[in-house]
Amino acid sequence: DVKVTQSSRYLVKRTGEKVFLECVQDMDHENMFWYRQDPGLGLRLIYFSYDVKMKEKGDIPEGYSVSREKKERFSLILESASTNQTSMYLCASFDPGRPSYEQYFGPGTRLTVT
Amino acid sequence: DQQVKQNSPSLSVQEGRISILNCDYTNSMFDYFLWYKKYPAEGPTFLISISSIKDKNEDGRFTVFLNKSAKHLSLHIVPSQPGDSAVYFCAASGTASNTGKLIFGQGTTLQVKP
């Protein structure tokens, strides 16, 4: 079973703080993703990575950066948190070699910025 | 530009009846479609998928239908159970790039009443 874990389930931060969200997967998947989920907007892609140290911007990268120093770990960084970044953050991993083409998601981090 | 749309934010059905969730897409390059189910405070879990070479895929109580000419897919749940109450997301992908990138719809909240 693929397991994707996220460092925190709930997080409360102040405006202007630097925030790190960590994601780890245990199935040696090449590709990893960060999404945010907001009511009525579905899941929107922030960044994805297709290899160590390789990354691509998604649809809403502004205000975020990412780091992938090891294959199993993909970090999302909010350089200076703002209230409009209050959201549910979801990490996912994907194996291009699998025929099912599904992404595996972590449990999510509910971030509140006050 | 919303490439994947779920136009019904919510749906309520009686236990034992059929639930039909709908999804429309605009990009003809999409060739793989997935449905995910999400409970509150949890990550999405994969439910069922369909390739564009098929028009139907069935897995137990869940069936996905694809109408390529109409760029429309639907998820049928028969019979519906209270445990099916969740948010359902459809997602689409163009597999040619093999990145695993998914475009998600806004989600439909299904409530199954006992």
Side-chain angles (χ1 to χ4, degrees), chain B residues 47-66:
Chain B
L47 200 53
I48 192 169
S49 62
I50 188 167
S51 164
S52 60
I53 62 173
K54 295 185 175 181
D55 54 19
K56 176 183 173 181
N57 189 25
E58 194 171 353
D59 184 2
R61 295 186 298 115
F62 303 91
T63 303
V64 56
F65 295 92
L66 175 62

Side-chain angles (χ1 to χ4, degrees), chain B residues 17-32:
Chain B
R17 306 295 291 268
I18 184 171
S19 296
I20 300 176
L21 295 92
N22 294 303
C23 180
D24 297 296
Y25 63 97
T26 57
N27 191 338
S28 57
M29 298 301 290
F30 291 149
D31 59 357
Y32 203 88

Side-chain angles (χ1 to χ4, degrees), chain B residues 59-107:
Chain B
D59 184 2
R61 295 186 298 115
F62 303 91
T63 303
V64 56
F65 295 92
L66 175 62
N67 182 333
K68 287 191 295 291
S69 60
K71 294 191 175 67
H72 177 84
L73 63 154
S74 61
L75 174 68
H76 292 211
I77 306 173
V78 184
S80 301
Q81 299 173 354
D84 296 330
S85 298
V87 180
Y88 289 78
F89 292 99
C90 70
S93 181
T95 59
S97 66
N98 206 28
T99 61
K101 282 178 69 175
L102 297 175
I103 308 297
F104 285 85
Q106 305 96 311

